[in-house]
Amino acid sequence: MPTADFRSDTVTKPSPGMRKAMADAEVGDAVYDEDPTTKRLEAMAAELLGMEAALFFPSATQANLGGLMAHCGRGDEYIVGQRAHAYRDEGGGAAVLGSIQPQPLPSEPDGIIDLDAITAAIKPDDFHNPMTRLLALENTFNGQPLPADYLRDSTELARSHGLSTHLDGARLMNAAVATGTDAAAIAGRFDSVSLCLSKGLGAPVGALLAGSRTLVERARRIRKTLGGGMRQTGVLAAAGIYALEHHVARLAEDHERATRLAEIFREFPALGAGEARTNMVFMSPEGAGGEGEGLDKDAFTAFLTDRGITVGGYGRLRWVTHLDIDDEAIGRVRQACEEYFG
Ligand SMILES: *Cc1c(COP(=O)(O)O)cnc(C)c1O
């Protein structure tokens, strides 16, 4: 029995069709900009995101850093959510490698940063202060799509103060599919957007950074500095093309399965599970948010592991649906919950 691995949508393995596309890929030296498959992926991504150009990166971490460094110089500052990936989960790359000072602000539960807080954090043009250069947002944030009004208002606010805007769109396609919005309509509000190919889209490696031609050329130089200039990347880009062609619309299935998971969990209030957010469900099994008398998280997860179900998360448990989670896996979770509480 294969394990039903709900820890993350990064655990997907390339499907036979994707592996065939990789094996058949035409390649060249991508640092010389001569890899036809990589160029095709970059053109597809630019079109999908409604941007002039896009650049292939080894990871979304590096694509975000490339974006931040393309916007900000040494000693500049970017405004970012306290719980944003590009602040908290990327090894402090902006500061360590970019000499860019983060100005973190509270991430509200729905993933937004309060507009008044943004305004208050923008430094005046005074030689004592760092130059506030960029607003960086994340969509989806912990699975939640940012509201369209907020995307408009926050980027307009940033622009009115002369700031650039970057979107960490690692899971942008989940947001687009869940809200029935064109990805370009979301991305178009920003000067640069990253997109991860190895989350729900199911490629083994890779990400894109999209923006204006000027920004992408600046990012190409930065990517080289960061060691992200890779050679025959066509074998990887082919997986990305396959993912964009076959794995975008089907994200709706992941969202639907997450909704079903949340419904199952609702029958067991001690789990303290919340609503599904695109392809994620969070639960606080020690009673926090639950109505029950609380539950031993370690015992519960060990019980699941014995039944071929793995789940991850720090503090809260996070369930993530993806390409390699099917209806059988959802059924297995229901049965495990029934046995545990039965
Ligand atoms: C996973 C993730 C990243 C980084 O992606 P990698 O390709 O794993 O480096 C960036 N931002 C968000 C929101 C993510 O979830």
Side-chain angles (χ1 to χ4, degrees):
M1 177 174 71
T3 300
D5 193 343
F6 288 92
R7 287 173 302 163
S8 177
D9 46 9
T10 55
V11 302
T12 57
K13 302 201 174 118
S15 63
M18 182 178 279
R19 284 174 189 264
K20 174 154 194 334
M22 295 172 76
D24 293 346
E26 208 188 318
V27 299
D29 190 321
V31 171
Y32 293 167
D33 205 18
E34 286 174 3
D35 185 284
T37 310
T38 303
K39 286 165 81 95
R40 190 150 72 85
L41 171 64
E42 290 170 342
M44 272 176 78
E47 189 182 335
L48 175 73
L49 300 171
M51 296 291 200
E52 276 180 10
L55 188 65
F56 184 67
F57 276 81
S59 67
T61 297
Q62 198 180 87
N64 280 332
L65 180 57
L68 297 180
M69 290 176 70
H71 289 294
C72 301
R74 183 161 192 245
D76 287 348
E77 178 177 83
Y78 75 115
I79 293 176
V80 63
Q82 188 90 46
R83 290 193 288 136
H85 203 281
Y87 169 61
R88 212 178 72 158
D89 299 303
E90 298 183 1
V96 174
L97 301 167
S99 297
I100 306 164
Q101 162 162 296
Q103 166 61 75
L105 293 175
S107 302
E108 302 298 331
D110 58 358
I112 69 158
I113 308 172
D114 180 67
L115 295 181
D116 292 335
I118 294 174
T119 306
I122 297 172
K123 313 292 181 287
D125 186 4
D126 176 320
F127 68 84
H128 293 86
N129 298 128
M131 292 285 285
T132 311
R133 194 69 75 183
L134 177 73
L135 171 67
L137 298 177
E138 179 176 319
N139 194 16
T140 61
F141 174 83
N142 282 341
Q144 277 187 140
L146 298 189
D149 288 358
Y150 180 77
L151 291 170
R152 182 197 59 218
D153 296 345
S154 58
T155 50
E156 280 178 4
L157 172 69
R159 208 152 286 132
S160 73
H161 287 273
L163 271 60
S164 301
T165 51
H166 173 77
L167 181 66
D168 176 353
R171 293 193 180 85
L172 174 61
M173 299 319 297
N174 292 84
V177 167
T179 59
T181 315
D182 210 358
I186 300 172
R189 301 231 172 251
F190 294 84
D191 297 309
S192 60
V193 180
S194 62
L195 175 69
C196 188
L197 295 167
S198 65
K199 298 267 164 86
L201 297 180
V205 174
L208 291 138
L209 175 70
S212 70
R213 230 168 247 119
T214 315
L215 179 120
V216 163
E217 285 320 305
R218 213 176 301 145
R220 188 187 300 279
R221 181 180 286 272
I222 294 160
R223 184 185 68 173
K224 185 66 188 163
T225 304
L226 297 173
M230 303 180 290
R231 303 297 177 173
Q232 284 72 32
T233 50
V235 286
L236 304 175
I241 291 170
Y242 187 92
L244 292 181
E245 284 176 344
H246 297 92
H247 294 166
V248 174
R250 67 149 306 285
L251 290 172
E253 295 174 33
D254 295 344
H255 302 167
E256 195 269 326
R257 288 195 180 98
T259 301
R260 261 191 282 150
L261 266 186
E263 280 165 11
I264 292 165
F265 295 150
R266 208 166 301 135
E267 295 171 30
F268 308 98
L271 291 171
E275 301 286 321
R277 305 164 166 188
T278 59
N279 66 332
M280 297 183 191
V281 181
F282 291 87
M283 56 167 61
S284 310
E286 277 150 6
E291 298 155 20
E293 54 273 48
L295 186 82
D296 182 336
K297 182 173 128 183
D298 294 337
F300 179 61
T301 51
F303 184 88
L304 294 173
T305 305
D306 286 346
R307 280 151 191 79
I309 299 163
T310 46
V311 60
Y314 313 90
R316 293 188 301 173
L317 290 181
R318 186 181 74 160
W319 297 76
V320 188
T321 54
H322 51 75
L323 261 172
D324 296 345
I325 293 292
D326 58 10
D327 290 337
E328 188 279 326
I330 304 295
R332 206 190 297 177
V333 173
R334 168 184 284 284
Q335 197 177 341
C337 289
E338 281 170 355
E339 282 175 31
Y340 192 83
F341 292 100

